[in-house]
Amino acid sequence: MLVNEIFYSLQGEGRFTGTPAVFLRLSGCNLRCPFCDTQHLSHEVMTEEDIVRRVSGYPARHIVITGGEPALQLTASLTRLLHGEGFFIQMETNGSVRLPEGAEVDWITCSPKELPVVLDRIDELKVLYMYQDMTRYDALHAKEYRLQPLDAGDAEKNRKNLNDTINYILQNPKWKLSLQTHKILNVR
């Protein structure tokens, strides 16, 4: 597998904010979003066994498989190996690629950048708010709905994005606020 990085930190976004987690960032993405803050093209080639050995060296048993787009590389055998080591598997995906048959992921966080979303199941829908027409997400069903202000890389724009996101949520209470707390706290 092409692995961009493996690191240990706190989950900074969504339902599991504050949870100690091992992050497995896989390289490559099928989209080229202009606002992407992830350098996901560099990589180290690792076997599934190497990955499991490395992530098992951390004390937490919550793993976040992310990317790029992790569904491009995820395998059923990797999820079996991780579950065998007691991991709760959370995946962060853009939703444009189906999970491979037999891949057992405990929690799917879908942050769509383009439609259509082709996933059979979404546990948490996390939308980056950019003043877009939110009715386009009405057909996507999830257990939980999160709205996250887009980080524009500018303090003034970010304050406006945050205020606009809060106002939208107050008018549409199905959504909950998601912040990038790892950036606020300056942790990885």
Side-chain angles (χ1 to χ4, degrees):
M1 300 186 96
L2 304 180
V3 176
N4 177 269
E5 63 180 337
I6 295 173
F7 64 96
Y8 184 55
S9 189
L10 298 177
Q11 172 58 290
E13 303 173 0
R15 181 175 210 254
F16 296 103
T17 296
T19 301
V22 182
F23 289 81
L24 169 60
R25 184 179 310 282
L26 299 175
S27 293
C29 188
N30 58 323
L31 303 179
R32 296 290 178 256
C33 303
F35 51 81
C36 184
D37 62 359
T38 302
Q39 298 298 322
H40 53 77
L41 295 178
S42 63
H43 63 269
E44 170 185 356
V45 177
M46 297 179 74
T47 66
E48 293 177 353
E49 292 78 12
D50 290 338
I51 291 168
V52 172
R53 194 170 17 263
R54 185 160 324 155
V55 300
S56 294
Y58 296 103
R61 286 298 177 259
H62 185 115
I63 189 166
V64 180
I65 302 176
T66 186
E69 175 46 55
L72 293 171
Q73 293 191 66
L74 186 70
T75 63
S77 57
L78 178 61
T79 62
R80 279 192 301 277
L81 288 169
L82 290 168
H83 280 137
E85 292 296 318
F87 278 94
F88 176 91
I89 302 172
Q90 177 186 359
M91 186 174 89
E92 296 180 350
T93 174
N94 64 37
S96 66
V97 178
R98 291 190 190 282
L99 272 61
E101 188 172 328
E104 295 180 19
V105 175
D106 300 300
W107 188 264
I108 299 172
T109 300
C110 177
S111 183
K113 310 305 185 285
E114 296 178 3
L115 296 176
V117 169
V118 298
L119 297 175
D120 296 325
R121 179 185 112 224
I122 300 172
D123 296 302
E124 176 179 32
L125 181 65
K126 183 181 71 177
V127 174
L128 299 180
Y129 191 58
M130 305 174 268
Y131 320 107
Q132 69 269 43
D133 175 9
M134 293 296 292
T135 60
R136 61 188 275 192
Y137 304 106
D138 287 349
L140 298 177
H141 299 286
K143 293 177 185 172
E144 300 183 13
Y145 297 84
R146 305 258 191 258
L147 203 56
Q148 183 168 296
L150 178 69
D151 182 354
D154 174 272
E156 187 174 321
K157 288 180 183 176
N158 285 350
R159 275 191 295 280
K160 181 177 180 348
N161 290 352
L162 176 60
N163 288 334
D164 290 345
T165 303
I166 291 170
N167 287 333
Y168 183 86
I169 291 169
L170 289 172
Q171 295 172 23
N172 299 276
K174 138 178 154 174
W175 295 92
K176 294 180 182 177
L177 181 64
S178 178
L179 298 175
Q180 293 180 302
T181 60
H182 55 292
K183 289 183 179 180
I184 295 167
L185 299 172
N186 198 29
V187 298
R188 185 145 198 240

